[in-house]
Amino acid sequence: MYRQENKNEIFMATLLYKVRVWIGGLIPLALLATLPLVTSCSDDDDNGSASIVVNKVFLEDAQAKDSVTDREVTFARLGQLIRIEGSGFTGLKKIYINGYDTYFNNALMTDNDVWVTLNTKTPVDKADASVRNTITLVKDNGSYTYKFVIRASAPTVSGVDNTLPSAGETVIVRGANLQETTHLMLPGGVEVTDGITSDPDGEWYSFTMPAGVTQSGSITSEGANGTAVTPAYFNNRNCMVLDFENSADLGSWSATYKYDDLVDDPLGSGRGKVVELVPQSVLDGGGIKAGANSSLWASTGNDYANDDWNRMTQFIPGSTPVDSVALQFDVYVPDPWMATGQLEISLQNNLSNYGYGSGGTKYNKDYMTQAYVWVPWMDTETGAANSFTTGGRWTTVTVPLSKFGRYTDKDNEYTFKNVIDDRNSGSYRNFIFLLVNSDIEYDESISYPAANFTSRIYLDNFRVVPCTSVTVSDY
């Protein structure tokens, strides 16, 4: 924090020095530092009647990585400080940015330069078309409008809904400032320009998965606020754990469901065989009683090469931090799921207790904990319950490995190789998941007693993916 503040102080001192030089060195630096308190200047200067001309706009970038703190730009974002370069600024009365009356300190102004911060209240996509992407400077003898692109904060991606879609399925990319997305580049250079729908508030955009996408990686989007890039997990099957297409991948013993318990994809999307978390035969028999668990769905385990995740390090380096690696799976929930039932996942078959808040989901210095519990009908931030459904489509759930058991410990810097070694050190390294139907006690005031579970939950394509967020530099 100290170093950041120090950099800003140096930047402001440099800016004040530049203004002093531009003005002609006539104002002592100590006095110049107090000039932001001055709110007006004489209109009787020699150039007060000169017409305004704008030549260029510069960004005053205190955080510039290349130390170029004053650079010519073709756009700027809300909250940024810009320098407008031209002539005839003496006597300037108003600056309108996208039609918004924007404060400027005319003590920090010369006839050739004026500094102004783009107010965060400035309209961008909601600005009237006649003034959008304009800077208008006004003084008594006239005004001058300069075309200049104004953007909101940089677009960001928080997640992708349906990362392993079949052709024709809908993909939704969620985030912020994604307004007016008009162009997408999918892995392998596949472009999408038609059929893109954007949320007016910039919280998502969607498109239809085209045929012919064979490579994996990121989705790059272009919109009103610039470029956004998703993590490199789109169309990524490189580190598949279970896709249920090969009976040899499934473990089979008395505690498990078997390959014959799989069902065909109920939506016919091309996913082939999928899991019905609680098989229909069990639902027909009354479902899972309160306080009980389903049988396990499990991978083959110790003697099966697929269960040694060292095979994945050719795609995800073992040194990758656990918060940059995730488990993904696809889910289809056709009917509202509410107030009972939990999906528990463990990276190895060693659970001795089950459910939300159980020991297997927490750090324990004496026990190898590698479990996570997904409760989509409960807000884990507030404890509030809301019914959950995916409607008539498959969606993707992404869970960073830092949410599994021991890796929730913030005092250690775990890597993907730690996860692999921990799995391989266990007596039974089967990847498992099951329906747990125990009570949930969120806190002293919020609890959810279990009831008979009879919901249809379909799952497919459990895979490990990279999930590192991508920051796009503007300059």
Side-chain angles (χ1 to χ4, degrees):
M1 188 68 178
Y2 167 78
R3 298 178 69 180
Q4 180 68 51
E5 290 174 348
N6 187 53
K7 187 173 183 180
N8 286 333
E9 289 170 3
I10 293 171
F11 172 73
M12 290 308 298
T14 302
L15 175 59
L16 288 170
Y17 173 77
K18 288 179 179 178
V19 176
R20 183 186 180 208
V21 171
W22 278 315
I23 289 175
L26 299 178
I27 303 176
L29 188 58
L31 176 58
L32 187 59
T34 70
L35 286 180
L37 299 176
V38 181
T39 59
S40 66
C41 63
S42 172
D43 291 337
D44 297 327
D45 297 285
D46 291 340
N47 295 325
S49 60
S51 298
I52 298 173
V53 175
V54 174
N55 297 324
K56 298 176 180 179
V57 175
F58 293 78
L59 176 67
E60 304 300 300
D61 186 5
Q63 311 307 321
K65 294 181 179 180
D66 56 7
S67 300
V68 181
T69 59
D70 181 76
R71 67 181 77 219
E72 184 182 354
V73 291
T74 58
F75 72 89
R77 299 189 183 279
L78 301 188
Q80 290 183 328
L81 174 65
I82 60 175
R83 174 172 65 87
I84 304 170
E85 181 182 279
S87 61
F89 296 161
T90 300
L92 190 63
K93 295 293 183 66
K94 292 281 188 180
I95 296 179
Y96 295 95
I97 297 177
N98 279 9
Y100 185 83
D101 189 352
T102 304
Y103 170 81
F104 70 101
N105 190 331
N106 54 15
L108 282 180
M109 183 184 76
T110 73
D111 192 59
N112 300 107
D113 297 278
V114 60
W115 287 262
V116 61
T117 297
L118 305 187
N119 194 297
T120 56
K121 295 180 180 179
T122 304
V124 180
D125 57 298
K126 293 181 172 60
D128 188 273
S130 64
V131 295
R132 186 174 177 181
N133 293 326
T134 64
I135 300 174
T136 298
L137 292 81
V138 180
K139 62 181 187 178
D140 287 341
N141 68 329
S143 64
Y144 183 94
T145 297
Y146 185 72
K147 297 290 290 184
F148 183 77
V149 175
I150 306 297
R151 293 177 176 174
S153 298
T156 58
V157 172
S158 59
V160 180
D161 179 347
N162 203 356
T163 65
L164 201 60
S166 299
E169 287 192 310
T170 298
V171 178
I172 303 174
V173 177
R174 304 187 188 278
N177 300 311
L178 297 169
Q179 290 96 332
E180 301 176 15
T181 296
T182 57
H183 182 270
L184 306 176
M185 184 67 73
L186 306 187
V190 178
E191 292 188 77
V192 177
T193 56
D194 297 328
I196 302 171
T197 302
S198 295
D199 171 42
D201 294 324
E203 295 181 355
W204 55 266
Y205 67 81
S206 67
F207 67 97
T208 300
M209 179 68 168
V213 181
T214 59
Q215 297 187 32
S216 64
S218 299
I219 303 171
T220 300
S221 63
E222 297 290 340
N225 296 311
T227 302
V229 180
T230 72
Y233 52 44
F234 186 70
N235 207 41
N236 194 325
R237 302 181 61 93
N238 293 330
C239 302
M240 187 63 68
V241 177
L242 284 171
D243 64 5
F244 310 105
E245 299 307 310
N246 185 351
S247 60
D249 293 340
L250 279 179
S252 179
W253 65 93
S254 60
T256 67
Y257 295 120
K258 311 298 190 291
Y259 185 79
D260 289 343
D261 292 307
L262 296 173
V263 298
D264 293 327
D265 175 3
L267 292 180
S269 69
R271 281 176 171 76
K273 292 293 184 182
V274 302
V275 162
E276 186 172 12
L277 183 57
V278 178
Q280 193 61 46
S281 59
V282 178
L283 296 179
D284 292 342
I288 304 296
K289 304 301 181 184
N293 299 334
S294 74
S295 296
L296 304 177
W297 294 95
S299 64
T300 303
N302 294 20
D303 298 325
Y304 194 53
N306 202 51
D307 262 317
D308 183 351
W309 287 9
N310 278 303
R311 65 183 172 87
M312 300 179 182
T313 57
Q314 62 179 306
F315 304 106
I316 305 173
S319 59
T320 307
V322 288
D323 60 359
S324 294
V325 186
L327 179 75
Q328 282 189 337
F329 56 93
D330 299 334
V331 59
Y332 167 49
V333 182
D335 308 311
W337 178 8
M338 176 67 177
T340 197
Q342 311 156 47
L343 172 64
E344 181 147 9
I345 304 167
S346 182
L347 306 186
Q348 61 176 290
N349 182 19
N350 66 346
L351 294 180
S352 59
N353 47 59
Y354 300 86
Y356 182 84
S358 62
T361 66
K362 301 176 180 178
Y363 171 76
N364 187 318
K365 65 182 180 64
D366 299 319
Y367 189 72
M368 186 60 66
T369 53
Q370 288 190 303
Y372 170 79
V373 174
W374 185 57
V375 191
W377 51 263
M378 184 180 73
D379 187 328
T380 56
E381 297 296 323
T382 66
N386 296 282
S387 64
F388 175 81
T389 177
T390 66
R393 59 189 296 269
W394 285 92
T395 65
T396 300
V397 177
T398 303
V399 186
L401 296 185
S402 55
K403 292 184 178 294
F404 281 79
R406 71 178 310 188
Y407 315 114
T408 61
D409 172 29
K410 304 301 183 185
D411 293 332
N412 288 286
E413 297 180 354
Y414 297 101
T415 66
F416 184 40
K417 190 63 166 66
N418 293 139
V419 175
I420 295 170
D421 291 345
D422 289 345
R423 288 190 78 248
N424 288 346
S425 69
S427 298
Y428 305 99
R429 68 185 183 203
N430 315 77
F431 173 87
I432 65 170
F433 61 93
L434 71 157
L435 187 284
V436 174
N437 200 28
S438 59
D439 298 344
I440 290 181
E441 184 174 346
Y442 179 80
D443 59 24
E444 293 181 354
S445 62
I446 301 175
S447 61
Y448 297 100
N452 200 42
F453 182 88
T454 58
S455 297
R456 294 180 297 158
I457 312 293
Y458 300 94
L459 303 164
D460 197 16
N461 294 326
F462 286 81
R463 64 244 188 222
V464 176
V465 295
C467 67
T468 304
S469 297
V470 180
T471 301
V472 179
S473 175
D474 280 338
Y475 308 107

